[in-house]
Amino acid sequence: MPIPAASPEYTAAVPPPAQFNFAAHLFSLNAARAAKTAYIDDTLALNYGELETQARRFAAAMRAVGVHTEERVLLVMLDTVELPIAFLGALYAGIVPVVVNTLLTPADYVYMLTHSRARVVIASGAVLPAVSAALAEAQCEDCQLIVSQPASRSVPHEPQSVLADLIARAEPAPRAAQTGGDDIAFWLYSSGSTGKPKGTVHTHANLYWTVETYAKPILGIRENDIVFSAAKLFFAYGLGNGLSFPLSVGATTILMAERPTANAVFARLVQHRPTVFYGVPTLYASMMASPSLPARADVALRVCTSAGEALPREVGERFREHFGSDILDGLGSTEMLHIFLSNRPGAVEYGTTGRPVPGYEIELRDETGALVPDGEIGDLFIRGPSAAVMYWCNREKSRATFLGDWVKSGDKYRRLPGGAYVYAGRSDDMLKVSGQYVSPIEVEMVLMQHDAVLEAAVIGVDQGGLVKTCAFVVLKQTAVETSHNALAEQLKAFVKTRLAPHKYPRDILFVDDLPKTATGKIQRFRLRQQFQS
């Protein structure tokens, strides 16, 4: 079927020049928009002229404190205007920002500090206790701590440097570092849903390519958009949503420091009326189940996206019915930086992840490396211009993931005859029941079609040497008083009417919530530990 593009005038992207600095590229694009608002956070607004000036001051400040080209700066920062200032300022200086999760433990930060050998760590006040403890334990004597605070607040005297003061004292760096498109620009740590986070290394050109292949032709993002991402900037998905995409077209971005609960998101949707919204499936599900869901007339949504996990069909359909706006479910990864497989405006197929984004190729392969036919589950491989260079100091994992031009995603998919792709789960999560493969995602999607179910996660458990499926279920508020024994039997029967008999969950456990990474991915290994205990 023909796939309409969001921007019919879009043509294939021209590669960036050999000498290319992404921050300088953005500043050049927005030179005529100096007075236009670039960011609005919980306390401040920042226009494009101020963004460039403060980022260039940041670049000079990092040089002044002794950070050199290609050295790392760890950014443990909430989503306030200071984070894009620091990220772009580091790129401008040829310094490598490493944006990390703000919800981690001191032990996690110890690992990242020592692994990245960061020369400076910039921490928001809310995460300062965890970061300070990590610095003390890691004994990083040559790593300086800088405290980030919203610039409008008075900052009490601290023994550490304060970012706003350093920026205010510095003169803007006169020119960008002479970087190339293939030079290392920044790192992101993988979410850790399957083990130790990996330092994923990206280039200046990779940011450019995600804009030119996805943001413009698929989203049709434009200058008059107001964008809001519930996914944080430390997440690869969120970094594109809230930084490279809107800044590439001169749009305005809403930032939110607090946790993205349904009510927090509703407040921004109503107050700022964003036209582009980026969420994750668990958030969309909780939004649609909330009694505080705003009316269609109270928001201004034009297009919404989802990533991180597969979007349940019924959640997407209910969202469209209520708001009149589709959710474009897509698949991206830290290794590919953003979405490479996506539904399109005007051609959404709920229950699928859509089709390859222009500029990317997808293959599904079996255990021998042979291509699988339509309808069969295979390992997903991607080839495209935004692939990461490597995992830092992890040759074994790099060799297993980055295979020549191709990247092995670790996801299982099947392709429908019409060309759309359907998620079957992570390779590590696939189950073999009665000698046949079962996709946990497939069972979860069916469970979530039941009126009582808000969320579900399925794992395999060993029972007498045989693998059986077990479902962890979070109920909607309207169903919490129902007899769990009776409801469990109802759910088993419900699945049996929609899937092959061997796929229904033998055990159903009702829980208050599911363990997830900060990016919204369900941590099934924790559920396996919980079942065994």
Side-chain angles (χ1 to χ4, degrees):
M1 63 185 288
I3 303 299
S7 300
E9 73 280 4
Y10 176 79
T11 56
V14 176
Q19 184 173 306
F20 183 73
N21 181 290
F22 187 72
H25 168 70
L26 291 181
F27 298 154
S28 176
L29 290 176
N30 293 297
R33 299 188 182 100
K36 186 184 178 186
T37 301
Y39 284 103
I40 301 171
D41 70 12
D42 298 334
T43 60
L44 292 173
L46 191 75
N47 66 37
Y48 274 94
E50 293 165 336
L51 175 63
E52 176 180 351
T53 299
Q54 292 200 40
R56 290 170 59 192
R57 287 180 183 274
F58 178 92
M62 290 301 98
R63 292 294 192 189
V65 299
V67 185
H68 301 104
T69 302
E70 297 184 356
E71 290 183 329
R72 271 76 65 193
V73 173
L74 202 70
L75 305 182
V76 196
M77 303 172 71
L78 302 178
D79 278 19
T80 69
V81 296
E82 288 192 307
L83 180 45
I85 288 169
F87 184 85
L88 294 173
L91 296 188
Y92 194 81
I95 292 165
V96 179
V98 184
V99 193
V100 302
N101 190 336
T102 56
L103 302 174
L104 300 179
T105 66
D108 294 317
Y109 294 132
V110 168
Y111 168 74
M112 292 173 177
L113 284 164
T114 55
H115 180 253
S116 67
R117 301 189 183 96
R119 293 293 311 281
V120 164
V121 56
I122 303 176
S124 294
V127 296
L128 190 58
V131 172
S132 297
L135 280 166
E137 183 178 341
Q139 298 181 341
C140 300
E141 296 179 359
D142 59 347
C143 182
Q144 302 177 59
L145 173 61
I146 297 173
V147 180
S148 166
Q149 298 283 354
S152 65
R153 298 178 186 173
S154 60
V155 181
H157 175 72
E158 295 276 1
Q160 302 86 13
S161 299
V162 175
L163 181 59
D165 295 342
L166 292 176
I167 290 174
R169 289 197 297 265
E171 290 296 321
R175 63 187 65 84
Q178 300 298 295
T179 54
D182 288 340
D183 279 351
I184 293 173
F186 65 102
W187 299 9
L188 294 169
Y189 277 97
S190 62
S191 63
S193 59
T194 57
K196 208 73 169 172
K198 298 177 287 292
T200 312
V201 178
H202 280 285
T203 68
H204 283 266
N206 287 1
L207 290 160
Y208 170 88
W209 283 117
T210 60
V211 172
E212 299 300 324
T213 57
Y214 177 77
K216 292 180 180 178
I218 303 298
L219 291 182
I221 193 167
R222 50 192 183 236
E223 182 178 3
N224 63 354
D225 275 321
I226 298 172
V227 306
F228 171 45
S229 176
K232 300 299 185 181
L233 290 168
F234 63 72
F235 183 16
Y237 176 50
L239 185 66
N241 300 344
L243 193 144
S244 52
F245 292 0
L247 298 185
S248 291
V249 296
T252 296
T253 301
I254 308 302
L255 295 177
M256 179 175 72
E258 67 181 292
R259 192 167 64 88
T261 62
N263 284 339
V265 168
F266 294 156
R268 275 75 180 180
L269 293 182
V270 172
Q271 178 185 358
H272 298 292
R273 296 180 65 82
T275 54
V276 181
F277 174 65
Y278 309 89
V280 296
T282 52
L283 174 60
Y284 284 118
S286 64
M287 288 168 64
M288 298 311 298
S290 171
S292 304
L293 186 70
R296 182 188 296 195
D298 294 332
V299 303
L301 297 173
R302 177 177 69 79
V303 63
C304 303
T305 72
S306 180
E309 293 267 81
L311 179 74
R313 179 194 299 272
E314 67 98 19
V315 173
E317 290 174 346
R318 288 177 57 215
F319 188 94
R320 176 172 60 191
E321 181 180 355
H322 182 84
F323 286 114
S325 173
D326 272 315
I327 301 173
L328 307 184
D329 190 23
L331 175 69
S333 68
T334 306
E335 292 78 8
M336 297 303 295
L337 188 54
H338 213 275
I339 290 172
F340 52 81
L341 183 66
S342 179
N343 279 275
R344 312 299 207 260
V348 171
E349 299 174 74
Y350 286 120
T352 81
T353 318
R355 292 164 165 77
V357 167
Y360 293 84
E361 297 175 63
I362 299 244
E363 288 186 354
L364 299 182
R365 304 177 188 175
D366 64 18
E367 293 84 351
T368 70
L371 299 180
V372 303
D374 285 355
E376 292 190 12
I377 293 174
D379 292 305
L380 182 73
F381 288 75
I382 319 103
R383 177 161 63 186
S386 63
V389 177
M390 61 178 165
Y391 298 129
W392 188 261
C393 290
N394 196 333
R395 181 175 292 188
E396 179 183 0
K397 291 290 186 182
S398 293
R399 284 178 168 174
T401 301
F402 303 103
L403 308 172
D405 290 342
W406 293 89
V407 175
K408 184 177 182 180
S409 73
D411 296 298
K412 294 278 191 181
Y413 264 85
R414 59 187 174 90
R415 195 177 83 154
L416 301 179
Y421 287 76
V422 177
Y423 185 51
R426 293 289 297 174
S427 299
D428 294 342
D429 292 328
M430 289 295 290
L431 310 175
K432 204 163 192 179
V433 179
S434 301
Q436 302 175 75
Y437 276 112
V438 174
S439 163
I441 299 299
E442 184 181 25
V443 183
E444 292 164 10
M445 291 296 185
V446 170
L447 285 167
M448 289 182 65
Q449 292 172 22
H450 193 281
D451 290 341
V453 177
L454 177 62
E455 290 184 283
V458 172
I459 62 170
V461 296
D462 189 324
Q463 294 185 345
L466 298 175
V467 174
K468 304 293 183 183
T469 50
C470 173
F472 289 76
V473 171
V474 179
L475 295 175
K476 293 178 180 175
Q477 193 62 38
T478 53
V480 292
E481 301 300 327
T482 308
S483 165
H484 283 186
N485 288 338
L487 187 53
E489 293 307 312
Q490 288 180 29
L491 292 176
K492 290 177 185 179
F494 185 79
V495 175
K496 287 179 183 178
T497 64
R498 288 160 172 78
L499 295 177
H502 69 281
K503 296 182 179 181
Y504 86 92
R506 273 36 172 203
D507 293 295
I508 295 181
L509 302 178
F510 295 98
V511 294
D512 293 332
D513 52 40
L514 298 174
K516 301 183 186 78
T517 68
T519 57
K521 294 181 181 179
I522 296 170
Q523 295 176 309
R524 289 176 178 81
F525 71 93
R526 295 195 184 280
L527 294 176
R528 287 190 283 269
Q529 292 170 353
Q530 182 176 330
F531 187 91
Q532 292 165 357
S533 63

